[in-house]
């Protein structure tokens, strides 16, 4: 975690401690990568000219997917030409928006380099996979919604192998200003989920990728975990469009755990969304407590990876899943 980014924008001219100053942010604390622009295009058959026009989200995701295949001990060449699905959670358009102030910087590779659809399709193209390939943007749930769709497609036989990922890169101060105006960011620069001292979230960046396979094919690679269930819903109308609802969370937890026939004592730990906000955390903790906390013989540990790396926004779900995995 860092109190401000280095070499991305002029922090001094945009930082102000007041939450009421228009066009300014009261914090730029974040979980930043050291160099999001570092990339060797040659292993992926990408020219340097095209690489500089590509959103770093596309570049980083290619590297992380390659590493996920290595970790699963699956040679990328063995999957070439196959119907491998690619399901990615992403929402940031920061890189493309940077060029709005200088249209002359836009080259022939700009459009394919800066659309959300190509964040996933770049992976399918480079690795030569012909299965479903799309980017999901459902805000902070994006990568888990992508995961649920991949699980569903594997179970109905649409694909037998899928790559599920999430990515988020912070290249513009604009969203910091917007979140500051909404008083959602932590003024102390600390993300403290489920704490009485919680005062907001801290933004973060990074990427996570998983390789999912049908159960009978798992022996072909290295198995790290088994997904028993994945489901999604919506809260409908709540007290505000950016605010969660207790009933929706209760309904989803009851359906998923009830469908598995699990008892509360079967659950060892819950990796929650847990952003460190005073509105969201109590609602989520209440839902978890009612469905999984009651009836247990021991307390139920819950936590959130955001206290370690910040809120990766569309990639936060797979970041939490990765924490639970290890």
């Amino acid at each position: 975690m860092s109190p401000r980014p280095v070499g991305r924008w002029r922090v001094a001219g945009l930082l102000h401690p007041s939450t009421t100053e228009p066009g300014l942010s009261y914090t730029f604390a974040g979980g930043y990568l050291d160099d999001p622009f570092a990339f060797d295009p040659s292993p992926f058959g990408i020219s340097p000219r095209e690489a500089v026009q590509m959103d770093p989200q596309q570049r980083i995701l290619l590297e992380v997917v390659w590493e996920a295949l290595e970790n699963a001990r699956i040679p990328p060449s063995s999957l070439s030409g196959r119907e491998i699905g690619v399901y990615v959670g992403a929402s940031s358009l920061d890189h493309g928006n940077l060029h709005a102030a200088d249209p002359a910087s836009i080259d022939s590779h700009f459009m394919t380099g800066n659309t959300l659809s190509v964040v996933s399709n770049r992976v399918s193209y480079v690795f030569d996979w012909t299965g479903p390939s799309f980017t999901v943007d459902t805000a902070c749930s994006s990568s888990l919604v992508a995961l649920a769709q991949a699980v569903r497609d594997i179970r109905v036989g649409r694909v037998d192998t899928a790559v599920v990922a999430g990515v988020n890169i912070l290249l513009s101060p604009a969203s910091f200003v917007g979140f500051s105006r909404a008083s959602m960011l932590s003024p102390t620069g600390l993300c403290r989920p489920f704490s009485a001292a919680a005062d907001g979230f801290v933004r973060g960046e990074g990427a996570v990728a998983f390789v999912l396979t049908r159960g009978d094919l798992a022996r072909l690679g290295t198995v790290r975990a088994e997904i028993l269930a994945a489901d999604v819903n919506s809260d409908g109308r709540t007290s505000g469009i950016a605010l969660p609802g207790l009933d929706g969370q209760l309904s989803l937890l009851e359906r998923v755990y009830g469908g598995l026939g699990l008892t509360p004592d079967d659950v060892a730990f819950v990796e929650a969304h847990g952003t460190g906000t005073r509105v969201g955390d109590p609602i989520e903790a209440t839902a978890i407590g009612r469905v999984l906390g009651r009836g247990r013989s021991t307390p139920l540990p819950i936590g959130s990876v955001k206290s370690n790396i910040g809120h990766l926004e569309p990639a936060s779900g797979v970041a939490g899943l990765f924490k639970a995995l290890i």
Side-chain angles (χ1 to χ4, degrees):
M1 302 295 285
S2 172
R4 60 187 63 193
V6 177
R8 303 198 190 191
W9 58 82
R10 186 170 170 270
V11 172
L14 295 166
L15 187 64
H16 194 284
S18 173
T19 61
T20 60
E21 291 296 321
L24 303 175
S25 177
Y26 55 79
T27 180
F28 285 111
Y32 296 102
L33 299 178
D34 289 338
D35 187 0
F37 292 97
F39 179 65
D40 182 0
S42 55
F44 303 103
I46 297 171
S47 71
R49 179 182 176 184
E50 183 172 13
V52 298
Q53 291 279 305
M54 285 169 55
D55 187 334
Q57 292 181 127
Q58 294 186 22
R59 306 181 220 166
I60 289 169
L61 198 59
L62 287 173
E63 296 172 326
V64 172
V65 168
W66 187 285
E67 291 172 357
L69 292 167
E70 283 185 331
N71 188 266
R73 299 185 181 176
I74 301 175
S77 59
S78 69
L79 303 180
S80 179
R82 288 182 49 191
E83 283 201 71
I84 309 299
V86 178
Y87 308 78
V88 178
S91 61
S92 173
L93 296 170
D94 282 3
H95 184 259
N97 290 338
L98 291 176
H99 293 264
D102 184 16
S105 67
I106 295 174
D107 203 348
S108 58
H109 300 291
F110 177 80
M111 294 309 298
T112 53
N114 292 277
T115 56
L116 287 179
S117 61
V118 183
V119 173
S120 51
N121 278 250
R122 181 77 66 176
V123 175
S124 300
Y125 173 80
V126 166
F127 290 95
D128 189 24
W129 296 336
T130 62
S133 181
F134 54 86
T135 306
V136 176
D137 181 5
T138 56
C140 304
S141 63
S142 297
S143 57
L144 287 188
V145 173
L147 175 78
Q149 184 62 50
V151 170
R152 189 175 299 112
D153 282 358
I154 289 174
R155 286 183 173 162
V156 302
R158 176 64 186 85
V159 296
D160 58 32
T161 303
V163 168
V164 176
V167 62
N168 192 49
I169 299 295
L170 311 174
L171 298 178
S172 167
S175 293
F176 282 91
V177 173
F179 284 129
S180 289
R181 296 292 286 172
S183 299
M184 292 181 177
L185 300 179
S186 166
T188 56
L190 297 172
C191 198
R192 292 173 280 206
F194 307 111
S195 168
D199 58 2
F201 67 87
V202 178
R203 305 184 73 201
E205 60 183 9
V208 177
F210 293 103
V211 181
L212 275 57
T213 62
R214 202 174 63 217
D216 60 313
L217 297 176
R219 59 183 175 78
L220 301 177
T222 301
V223 179
R224 305 294 183 187
E226 179 183 0
I227 296 176
L228 300 181
D231 206 349
V232 300
N233 72 348
S234 176
D235 284 335
R237 184 183 292 274
T238 63
S239 56
I241 194 168
L243 302 178
L246 178 60
D247 291 343
Q249 295 195 24
L250 287 170
S251 173
L252 185 61
L253 289 171
E254 289 167 348
R255 183 164 72 244
V256 170
Y257 285 93
L260 292 172
L262 296 175
T263 68
D265 276 328
D266 292 325
V267 181
F269 166 75
V270 172
E271 171 63 20
H273 186 52
T275 57
T277 56
R278 293 171 180 170
V279 175
D281 283 12
I283 291 174
E284 187 178 17
T286 298
I288 294 170
R290 288 187 185 178
V291 177
L292 299 174
R294 291 177 179 174
R296 284 178 59 88
S297 58
T298 58
L300 174 65
I302 65 174
S304 168
V305 73
K306 295 172 186 64
S307 62
N308 305 101
I309 61 174
H311 188 356
L312 267 61
E313 295 162 2
S316 62
V318 285
L321 179 61
F322 184 63
K323 172 193 166 185
L325 192 71
I326 61 174

